[in-house]
């Protein structure tokens, strides 16, 4: 073509080119001519121009003819030819439209895929042999079969594939191929086809020849259905049925009865010797009649109900369809047996392949040994017995025996219990106790004891292999019928030794308790002495004052001196009581810390104020040092912090001789987040602490100088309580000391930093006047009421008194609105206590009932008492004896708030 095109161009180039261009433009195929190097297009017909821009560079790929390309809805095959285009080396590309061919191929492929997909989903092995092409297709399920031979066509050759068929099934295969040859299709009964692993599978084969219009075979197709499970199940059922039918008279082992019942016809068709009957006696009976016969031999109601459920014909049929195998276990007495025996009846149901009748095979076995052992072991699992005997209660015959640790005593079932136990006792029990143990463990004694008790037991000391051990035996009826007695023996040597250890521990604990009791008695004696001393002082001073008043010789200076002495004794007595209460709380983990925002400087100032007079009285040089600013506000229990610091300062001053030095230092040691650690150091130049006593310095009731009570005093609880409080506040107290060189105590406490708050209003002695304040005083003790009345009246208050809470409630309710400025309330009072009275006042329907300050004054000094007071509606709780200045300050505080 290229040659002709060049020739015509030379003679009449324009006319020839125009003619060829018209012809080429009419073609549905595309023609494109381009430069070999640059791919510049020299010519393209109309068909190519229509989609040239859509195919882009695909047209100029190195191997564009490797497959069709799709342009819009059409498919084109590209053919490439090298040509000379007007003296230039060029490429001509012919794009042949193959859309119809592609569509046909897709349709054929789609049909083939659907066909094969259906085959795959059928779960059937499949082989398709195309005789024209000599090709074959088979699915994955066909691959395991060893039937292909050397080539695919061998499978369809009845003579060549016999080697892959079980020898016993060759005739079935020959018949299969003959049927296909005669009719074009065939089915083979289940035959055993060989697999690649050498095993055989039962399979059904279906074959068909496909012909063309001329009647020639164009395809051979074969389906192989795996029916191995079905066939084997049938054969197993047949074998099982044959076994049950043919072997029904062969009773072996513990089988005592076998009955065959045709459930479909509802009759017994065969029976071996049955329990209580000859086998032939029950043949022909219906299930219902057999049930009644069995019920006539059973008296127990529970067993009768279970037997009815078990031998119900409809239930047996349902069990067959559910593939269930019912079982029933009962007890019955056998001639010559020992008591009742356990029997188990099981049902095996099979279908007769000949007539499809359901046959129930009832097999009854003697399971007495297994069940007895099972029950026995179930009991033993809960214990650790060295020996076990199961004995018939009347005859003494041994039904079962077990020896734990030692194989020395092999149970001789030919002996009775008494014979065996006599032999065991003779060999292992100590000689001096053999007769007593033998009498105690005899069967007659055991039966006598069990007549009035559920069990009996005893203890034996045994000498075995040169070692003395201890054993406990127990006897109890094994079953509800009280036919058997279960004897057990357990080695309790470890328990016995542990008892000895426990007894030793108890003895030691008793000794410790006696020591503790003695220590407590010593403490009580000491406290009695300590408490009596200030009471004696107060009583003596009061007697002196009384005597001087009678004789009219008491001057003011002497009176003040004596009242100061009485106050000091009273304060010491109060300290003793508070220490004892705090220690009691610590022992019961009842000591609590309550926090509120407090300025540390406002707390430290009164502590210094109380410590300085004590130091000055002994001419002790007192130094206060602040390493850092401690004026911040912290959330703390101010009372407990002051208690810790005063205890340390009091101790330092008490044990420092006249002319010595006590130094007090306070600082905020570190701050972590919102928490600060305060450190307080109290050092002195006093008597110091010996190295021997350092370990006991924080122990309660311990005092190194207890023999010098008249000189130093104290309870020996202060440091113990202080350390407990410091630890409750996240810190501790440590000490360094040397005998004769003083001591240094370091107390640390951790507090949460609080927001700044207004400092509480303080009142000096000049501010103590309370003129015009109306007080309602509720107090049942006449003397306390008189003292409080006098103290308040001296400060300018107008006081109304009540003997109990009910009287106080009535006085407040009958007063005018705002007539009473403050209520002082005792807690323990007759008729109505202070808590009830406070709640009643707060519930009154008047405006001042909700706002009037109610202040508790009570001997109830525990924290829980304070919480109860606040919960009842009171504003404050002051513990008796109340310091008058504290009382005045408290009242004035609320009057200031009231404005």
């Amino acid at each position: 073509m290229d040659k002709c095109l060049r020739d015509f161009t030379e003679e009449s180039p324009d006319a020839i080119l125009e003619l060829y261009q018209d012809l080429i433009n009419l073609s549905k195929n595309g023609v494109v001519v381009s430069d070999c190097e640059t791919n510049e297009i020299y010519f393209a017909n109309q068909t190519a121009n229509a989609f040239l821009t859509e195919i882009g560079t695909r047209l100029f790929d190195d191997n564009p003819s490797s497959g069709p390309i799709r342009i819009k809805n059409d498919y084109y095959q590209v053919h490439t030819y090298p040509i000379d285009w007007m003296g230039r080396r060029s490429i001509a590309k012919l794009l042949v439209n193959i859309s119809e061919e592609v569509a046909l191929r897709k349709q054929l492929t789609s049909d083939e895929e659907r066909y094969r997909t259906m085959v795959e989903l059928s779960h059937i092995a499949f082989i398709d042999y195309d005789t024209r092409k000599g090709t074959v297709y088979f699915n994955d399920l066909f691959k395991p079969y060893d039937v292909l031979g050397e080539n695919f066509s061998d499978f369809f050759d009845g003579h060549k594939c016999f080697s892959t068929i079980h020898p016993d099934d060759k005739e079935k295969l020959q018949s299969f191929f003959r049927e296909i040859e005669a009719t074009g299709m065939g089915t083979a009964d289940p035959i055993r086809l060989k697999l690649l692993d050498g095993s055989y599978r039962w399979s059904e084969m279906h074959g068909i020849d496909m012909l063309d219009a001329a009647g020639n075979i164009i395809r051979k197709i074969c389906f192989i259905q795996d029916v191995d499970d079905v066939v084997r199940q049938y054969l197993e059922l047949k074998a099982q049925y044959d076994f049950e039918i043919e072997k029904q008279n062969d009773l072996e082992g513990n089988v005592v009865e076998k009955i065959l019942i045709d459930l479909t016809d509802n009759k017994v068709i065969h029976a071996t010797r049955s329990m209580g009957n000859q086998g032939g006696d029950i043949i022909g009976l219906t299930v219902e009649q057999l049930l009644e016969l069995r019920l006539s031999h059973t008296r127990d109601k529970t067993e009768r109900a279970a037997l009815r459920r078990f031998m119900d014909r409809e239930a047996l049929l349902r069990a067959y369809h559910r593939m269930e195998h019912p079982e029933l276990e009962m007890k019955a007495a056998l001639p010559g047996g020992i008591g009742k025996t356990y029997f188990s009846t099981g049902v095996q149901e099979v279908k007769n392949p000949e007539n499809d009748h359901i046959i129930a095979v009832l097999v009854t076995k003697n399971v007495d040994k297994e069940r007895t052992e099972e029950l026995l072991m179930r009991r033993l699992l809960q214990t650790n017995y060295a020996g076990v005997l199961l004995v018939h209660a009347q005859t003494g015959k041994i039904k079962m025996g077990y020896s734990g640790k030692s194989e020395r005593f092999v149970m001789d079932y030919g002996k009775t219990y008494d014979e065996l136990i006599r032999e065991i006792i003779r060999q292992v029990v100590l000689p001096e106790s053999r007769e007593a143990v033998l009498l105690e463990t005899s069967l007659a004694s055991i039966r006598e004891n069990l007549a009035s008790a559920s069990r009996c037991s005893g203890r034996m000391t045994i000498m075995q292999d040169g070692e003395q051990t201890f054993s406990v035996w127990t006897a109890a009826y094994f079953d509800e019928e009280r036919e058997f007695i279960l004897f057990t023996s357990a080695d309790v040597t470890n328990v016995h030794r542990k008892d000895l250890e426990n007894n030793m521990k108890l003895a030691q604990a008793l000794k410790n308790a006696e020591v503790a009791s003695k220590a407590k008695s010593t403490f009580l004696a000491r406290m009695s002495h300590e408490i009596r001393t200030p009471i004696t002082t107060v009583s003596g001073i009061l007697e002196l004052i009384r005597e001087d008043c009678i004789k009219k010789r008491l001057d003011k200076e002497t009176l003040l001196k004596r009242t100061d002495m009485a106050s000091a004794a009273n304060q010491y007595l109060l300290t003793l009581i508070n220490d004892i209460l705090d220690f009691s709380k610590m022992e019961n983990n009842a000591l609590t810390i309550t926090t509120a925002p407090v300025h540390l400087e406002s707390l430290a100032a009164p502590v210094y104020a109380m410590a300085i007079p004590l130091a000055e009285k002994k001419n002790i040089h007192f130094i206060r040092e602040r390493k850092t600013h401690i004026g911040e506000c912290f959330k703390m229990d101010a009372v407990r912090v002051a208690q810790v610091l005063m205890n340390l300062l009091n101790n330092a001053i008490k044990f420092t001789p006249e002319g010595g030095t006590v130094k007090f230092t306070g600082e905020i040691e570190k701050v972590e987040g919102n928490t600060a650690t305060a450190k307080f150091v109290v050092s002195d130049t006093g008597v110091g602490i010996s190295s021997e006593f350092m370990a006991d310095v924080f122990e309660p009731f311990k005092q190194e100088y207890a023999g010098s009570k008249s000189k130093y005093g104290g309870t020996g609880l202060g440091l113990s309580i202080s350390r407990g409080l410091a630890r409750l506040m996240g810190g501790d107290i440590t000490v360094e000391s040397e005998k004769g060189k003083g001591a240094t105590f370091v107390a640390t406490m951790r507090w949460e930093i609080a927001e700044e708050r207004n400092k509480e209003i303080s009142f000096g002695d000049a501010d103590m006047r309370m003129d015009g304040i109306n007080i309602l005083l509720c107090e049942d003790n006449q003397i306390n009421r008189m003292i409080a009345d006098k103290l308040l009246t001296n400060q300018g208050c107008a006081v109304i008194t009540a003997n109990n809470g009910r009287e106080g409630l009535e006085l407040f309710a009958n007063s005018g609105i705002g007539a009473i400025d403050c209520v002082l309330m005792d807690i323990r009072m007759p008729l109505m206590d202070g808590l009830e009275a406070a709640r009643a006042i707060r519930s009154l329907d008047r405006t001042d009932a909700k706002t009037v300050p109610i202040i508790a004054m009570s001997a109830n000094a525990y924290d829980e008492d304070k919480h109860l007071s606040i919960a009842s509606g009171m504003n404050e709780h002051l513990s008796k004896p109340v310091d008058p200045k504290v009382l005045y300050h408290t009242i004035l505080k609320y009057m200031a708030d009231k404005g």
Side-chain angles (χ1 to χ4, degrees), residues 624-691:
R624 174 191 174 190
E625 182 179 298
R626 287 180 293 180
K627 291 188 177 181
T628 57
H629 179 59
I630 58 172
E632 291 87 354
C633 189
F634 303 96
K635 291 183 180 179
M636 68 171 75
D637 190 328
V639 174
R640 294 301 188 185
V641 174
Q643 182 179 351
V644 171
L645 299 180
M646 278 306 302
N647 271 337
L648 296 179
L649 288 170
N650 277 335
N651 265 13
I653 293 170
K654 181 167 61 175
F655 291 105
T656 299
E658 187 175 352
T661 301
V662 171
K663 183 177 180 182
F664 179 83
T665 303
E667 65 175 314
I668 299 300
E669 190 175 32
K670 61 180 177 180
V671 177
E672 296 176 340
N674 197 36
T675 303
T677 299
K679 177 181 176 182
F680 299 95
V681 180
V682 176
S683 58
D684 62 69
T685 59
V687 296
I689 304 169
S690 65
S691 57

Side-chain angles (χ1 to χ4, degrees), residues 601-852:
E601 187 66 34
S602 66
L603 169 73
V607 172
Y608 304 144
M610 287 186 284
I612 289 173
L614 297 176
E616 290 177 348
K617 190 174 181 180
K618 290 184 66 175
N619 194 25
I620 290 174
H621 183 47
F622 186 82
I623 302 172
R624 174 191 174 190
E625 182 179 298
R626 287 180 293 180
K627 291 188 177 181
T628 57
H629 179 59
I630 58 172
E632 291 87 354
C633 189
F634 303 96
K635 291 183 180 179
M636 68 171 75
D637 190 328
V639 174
R640 294 301 188 185
V641 174
Q643 182 179 351
V644 171
L645 299 180
M646 278 306 302
N647 271 337
L648 296 179
L649 288 170
N650 277 335
N651 265 13
I653 293 170
K654 181 167 61 175
F655 291 105
T656 299
E658 187 175 352
T661 301
V662 171
K663 183 177 180 182
F664 179 83
T665 303
E667 65 175 314
I668 299 300
E669 190 175 32
K670 61 180 177 180
V671 177
E672 296 176 340
N674 197 36
T675 303
T677 299
K679 177 181 176 182
F680 299 95
V681 180
V682 176
S683 58
D684 62 69
T685 59
V687 296
I689 304 169
S690 65
S691 57
E692 294 81 12
F693 190 73
M694 283 291 287
D696 296 326
V697 70
F698 292 107
E699 290 297 314
F701 315 129
K702 296 292 183 70
Q703 292 175 291
E704 185 173 16
Y705 303 100
S708 305
K709 295 295 295 177
S710 58
K711 184 175 182 180
Y712 297 114
T715 63
L717 294 175
L719 286 177
S720 177
I721 293 170
S722 296
R723 186 181 225 186
L725 290 171
R727 288 178 173 177
L728 279 176
M729 290 183 279
D732 201 355
I733 297 180
T734 59
V735 60
E736 292 181 2
S737 180
E738 188 176 342
K739 186 76 171 179
K741 295 186 178 181
T744 299
F745 286 83
V746 178
T748 57
M749 288 166 269
R750 298 178 75 238
W751 306 312
E752 184 181 343
I753 299 173
E755 293 183 3
E756 196 72 23
R757 73 166 191 175
N758 294 328
K759 295 185 179 180
E760 294 184 358
I761 299 172
S762 62
F763 301 90
D765 291 341
D767 301 318
M768 289 299 181
R769 295 298 301 172
M770 295 185 287
D771 298 314
I773 298 177
N774 298 315
I775 305 289
L776 172 59
L777 173 64
C778 301
E779 170 64 67
D780 65 318
N781 185 280
Q782 183 179 359
I783 296 176
N784 290 342
R785 187 169 64 248
M786 180 269 295
I787 293 173
D789 186 355
K790 189 65 176 173
L791 289 172
L792 292 168
T793 303
N794 288 342
Q795 296 303 119
C797 295
V799 182
I800 307 170
T801 61
N803 295 320
N804 54 66
R806 180 178 295 175
E807 187 177 330
L809 173 63
E810 292 173 355
L811 287 172
F812 185 87
N814 294 326
S815 66
I817 302 296
I820 294 176
D821 297 309
C822 182
V823 179
L824 301 180
M825 186 76 72
D826 188 20
I827 300 299
R828 294 188 178 182
M829 294 184 292
L831 299 181
M832 179 182 286
D833 65 27
L835 301 177
E836 292 180 87
R839 285 192 289 265
I841 290 174
R842 293 300 188 205
S843 65
L844 291 175
D845 187 17
R846 49 188 285 173
T847 54
D848 59 345
K850 305 296 185 295
T851 58
V852 63

Side-chain angles (χ1 to χ4, degrees), residues 265 269 323 836:
D265 283 347
I269 59 175
M323 300 179 67
E836 292 180 87

Side-chain angles (χ1 to χ4, degrees), residues 2 10 60-61 149 313 350 394 408 442 450 516 535 551 580 635 657 693 696 712 854 881:
D2 297 338
E10 292 173 359
F60 304 105
D61 288 343
R313 177 169 172 262
V350 293
Q394 300 304 319
R408 181 172 181 177
S442 68
L450 292 181
I535 290 176
K551 296 180 179 181
I580 294 169
K635 291 183 180 179
F693 190 73
D696 296 326
Y712 297 114
I854 303 178

Side-chain angles (χ1 to χ4, degrees), residues 389-398 416-419 421-422 425 437-451 456 473 475-477 483-487:
L389 281 176
L390 190 62
V391 178
H392 191 261
Q394 300 304 319
T395 64
K397 289 184 178 180
I398 299 172
T416 64
Y417 163 79
D418 283 335
E419 292 171 339
I421 204 70
R422 186 180 297 111
I425 289 173
V437 173
L438 187 60
L439 178 63
E440 188 180 40
T441 56
S442 68
L443 187 59
S445 296
I446 297 297
R447 283 201 303 261
E448 183 180 349
N449 290 331
L450 292 181
C456 58
W473 61 266
Y477 278 111
E483 288 187 285
F484 292 93
I485 297 176
L486 178 66
F487 293 87

